Amino acid sequence: MTLSEKSTRQRLAGFVTRASGARAAVIVALEPMSGGAVQENWALDVEIDGKLRRWVLRTDATATVRESLTRAQEFAVLKVAHEARVLAPEPLFLCDDPAVTGRLFFIMERLPGVAAGHKLTRDSKLVPDGRGLARELAANLARLHRITRARAGLEFLPTMLARDCIAHYRSYLDTLSRAYPALEWGLRWCEINAPQREDTTLVHRDYRTGNYLVHDGRLAGVLDWEFTAFGNPLEDIGWFCARCWRFARPDLEAGGIAGLGDFVAEYEQVSGHRVMPGDLRYWQVMAHVRWAIIALQQVERHLSGTQRSLELALTGHVIGQIELEILNLTEVP
Amino acid sequence: MNDRPDAQDLLEIAYDTFATEVLPAVPEGLRYTALMIANAMAIAQRGLAAGDTALRDEHWRLSGLLSENAAAPRDEGLREAVEGYNRRLANEIRAGRFDGEGRAAMLGHLRRTTEEKLAVSNPKALVDPGDNRQEATADKRR
């Protein structure tokens, strides 16, 4: 049972008709979208009672990754974010009946725009006003960070504050056959310098250039909510500003699209919380440690034979750069 | 004994031919894959050329940091010895034994080791810190 089969498409059309309360739904197009090592995205065009809708059907890929949410959980997270006016694709229908396509999936709005980081950081036609875009991203992030556990429900999400992150990354390193002293140092530095008190809000945990769509030079929406958790809002800021996500413009600290000033000022104004230089440095170190851990997980998928892939294999050779960045950030006490 | 040219020479001429003759003619849809192939060949070539000099140096530095004075073993033994030392160093860093005295020596060693790795993985990261070459793999999920 695959989405390319005619019978599957017929069942899918039936599901869409029921879920949308339409009289008739006709599937006009259903094509796999590029990208998405973890989830499979399909561009789905449906004609509902004569009106064309452009959607994305999001389903689990064959290779699942530790730590990512199920489709049902991601759907719930998107609903909460969308209701809080965070720019993101609107979640429409969740299907938990495996008889439809064989796998659980949900349907969301398909936003226009470009996400590729190497394009957005290079092409000024795509981003004519980087500072304006950085402010939009900051305000959007601040709206996300207004969502607290009490407000959101989402009981299934873990809480990952600084010390939880450290323990989690160490436990992963302990499963590997080789030791990584530079990453251990990064974690030790994070432990020594861990914040005394932390706010806890909804955090995206992959809020960065490459994971949002820009359309007509403006932010259309943030994608990839599969790593969402409750945690320290500063983690998202450190991740967004970390050098590893600046692509072609490592000199532009706010995601390779603008300097830090506009991003932080707008975030502070909308959120009402200060971002201190020390916070930024701390969460950039944590960001690089985390990116190294994710890279190691990707290499493991190649090495173990779970998913042999040149792309995953080459990820092993970015570890040195991440380690160098950790050393650059932590050498001065 | 294998016929010449050896693995390193073959890889080098295969890479040069690929980069100068194939890469410019690759259609847009395959360009990213072709760049990854070129990158993998270049890393493999530099790795073969580097031999085990860096591994010997790492062993020597690690034995100093961990107050050991065992001579570096040969061949496979050397890799195992370095892995064992690295495991010990990692544990001691985690336990805080390099927080104070010894911190500068430990950091010096980590930087040296990282630079030696980068000489094989991505030499551009050493000479030009402005060039962010992680992007080729960093953007994979979009």
Side-chain angles (χ1 to χ4, degrees):
Chain A
M1 190 154 44
T2 72
L3 285 167
S4 320
E5 285 167 34
K6 200 174 168 206
S7 55
T8 311
R9 289 179 183 225
Q10 278 167 351
R11 284 193 302 275
L12 182 60
F15 167 76
V16 168
T17 310
R18 288 191 300 280
S20 63
R23 282 190 302 279
V26 181
I27 295 180
V28 180
L30 181 60
E31 302 287 336
M33 296 169 81
S34 63
V38 183
Q39 271 74 39
E40 265 181 43
N41 294 324
W42 293 69
L44 170 64
D45 291 351
V46 185
E47 208 173 86
I48 291 189
D49 297 341
K51 205 176 163 202
L52 185 70
R53 304 295 173 90
R54 295 172 199 281
W55 292 339
V56 173
L57 186 154
R58 195 158 154 83
T59 189
D60 291 321
T62 34
T64 50
V65 146
R66 307 154 38 102
E67 309 183 28
S68 68
L69 302 179
T70 68
R71 288 320 101 232
Q73 291 171 336
E74 193 181 0
F75 186 80
V77 166
L78 265 177
K79 269 213 167 323
V80 169
H82 201 259
E83 278 158 18
R85 296 189 304 111
V86 177
L87 294 176
E90 183 183 359
L92 300 168
F93 317 114
L94 173 70
C95 179
D96 54 10
D97 177 5
V100 178
T101 67
R103 279 186 256 166
L104 204 134
F105 67 90
F106 69 78
I107 291 170
M108 62 185 183
E109 165 192 23
R110 186 158 91 241
L111 296 173
V114 174
H118 62 95
K119 289 185 186 158
L120 293 177
T121 53
R122 247 186 212 114
D123 189 348
S124 61
K125 285 194 286 296
L126 291 173
V127 183
D129 179 13
R131 297 173 62 184
L133 179 62
R135 284 194 299 272
E136 283 188 284
L137 282 158
N140 198 52
L141 190 58
R143 286 194 294 275
L144 173 69
H145 290 164
R146 282 190 196 137
I147 304 171
T148 58
R149 202 179 257 289
R151 181 175 152 192
L154 304 177
E155 289 82 5
F156 54 85
L157 291 179
T159 296
M160 295 288 285
L161 294 172
R163 287 171 185 80
D164 303 311
C165 292
I166 294 166
H168 192 66
Y169 304 151
R170 280 176 173 166
S171 72
Y172 179 72
L173 287 175
D174 288 341
T175 67
L176 300 177
S177 58
R178 280 200 195 180
Y180 290 84
L183 302 182
E184 289 290 348
W185 165 247
L187 284 165
R188 177 64 186 159
W189 186 91
C190 284
E191 187 171 54
I192 297 167
N193 295 285
Q196 293 302 311
R197 287 211 326 268
E198 295 179 85
D199 289 336
T200 307
T201 70
L202 197 64
V203 284
H204 182 280
R205 301 196 89 224
D206 206 4
Y207 198 94
R208 59 158 175 99
T209 299
N211 273 348
Y212 54 81
L213 285 161
V214 176
H215 182 61
D216 286 339
R218 303 204 54 188
L219 177 63
V222 176
L223 306 167
D224 282 356
W225 292 77
E226 70 231 35
F227 299 109
T228 306
F230 286 99
N232 189 326
L234 293 164
E235 183 183 8
D236 277 341
I237 295 173
W239 188 251
F240 183 80
C241 296
R243 194 186 175 97
C244 50
W245 302 125
R246 296 181 201 158
F247 297 93
R249 292 299 301 271
D251 55 316
L252 296 177
E253 284 183 272
I257 53 156
L260 205 53
D262 289 280
F263 181 82
V264 169
E266 182 75 4
Y267 180 84
E268 289 180 338
Q269 204 201 329
V270 178
S271 70
H273 290 283
R274 291 295 308 279
V275 179
M276 309 306 278
D279 296 334
L280 210 57
R281 178 175 167 213
Y282 182 85
W283 288 100
Q284 285 191 15
V285 175
M286 193 73 99
H288 283 99
V289 172
R290 174 157 176 249
W291 170 215
I293 298 285
I294 293 170
L296 286 170
Q297 288 169 348
Q298 291 178 342
V299 185
E300 255 342 270
R301 268 156 69 200
H302 171 78
L303 291 174
S304 67
T306 310
Q307 190 186 357
R308 297 283 294 170
S309 141
L310 177 56
E311 192 166 39
L312 294 179
L314 282 172
T315 308
H317 285 267
V318 305
I319 309 275
Q321 275 167 276
I322 309 171
E323 289 174 335
L324 188 64
E325 194 58 27
I326 291 170
L327 294 173
N328 288 341
L329 286 164
T330 58
E331 265 175 347
V332 184
Chain B
M1 189 175 264
N2 285 326
D3 285 331
R4 290 189 297 171
D6 63 9
Q8 194 185 322
D9 191 326
L10 279 173
L11 203 48
E12 191 179 319
I13 189 64
Y15 170 83
D16 288 347
T17 309
F18 185 79
T20 55
E21 294 178 32
V22 179
L23 201 50
V26 164
E28 186 58 33
L30 278 173
R31 189 160 168 80
Y32 180 61
T33 306
L35 283 170
M36 288 197 301
I37 292 171
N39 190 20
M41 288 168 80
I43 294 171
Q45 188 193 326
R46 288 191 296 265
L48 281 174
D52 66 358
T53 315
L55 200 59
R56 285 189 181 281
D57 290 351
E58 189 177 351
H59 184 276
W60 184 78
R61 289 193 306 271
L62 281 165
S63 56
L65 275 177
L66 298 167
S67 313
E68 293 284 340
N69 49 14
R74 291 182 175 278
D75 305 321
E76 263 316 288
L78 176 62
R79 190 165 296 280
E80 271 173 40
V82 169
E83 280 180 19
Y85 278 170
N86 271 328
R87 170 93 28 220
R88 271 179 56 192
L89 178 62
N91 288 338
E92 296 201 4
I93 289 171
R94 192 184 290 195
R97 267 172 234 133
F98 285 94
D99 286 355
E101 193 190 346
R103 173 176 157 141
M106 178 270 294
L107 286 174
H109 160 76
L110 292 181
R111 179 168 285 273
R112 189 85 200 98
T113 307
T114 304
E115 285 170 353
E116 283 167 352
K117 283 206 286 194
L118 283 171
V120 170
S121 292
N122 185 0
K124 286 201 172 184
L126 293 173
V127 291
D128 180 11
D131 180 44
N132 192 342
R133 292 291 290 265
Q134 283 177 42
E135 65 178 275
T137 46
D139 209 21
K140 71 171 57 64
R141 279 192 284 150
R142 180 73 16 241

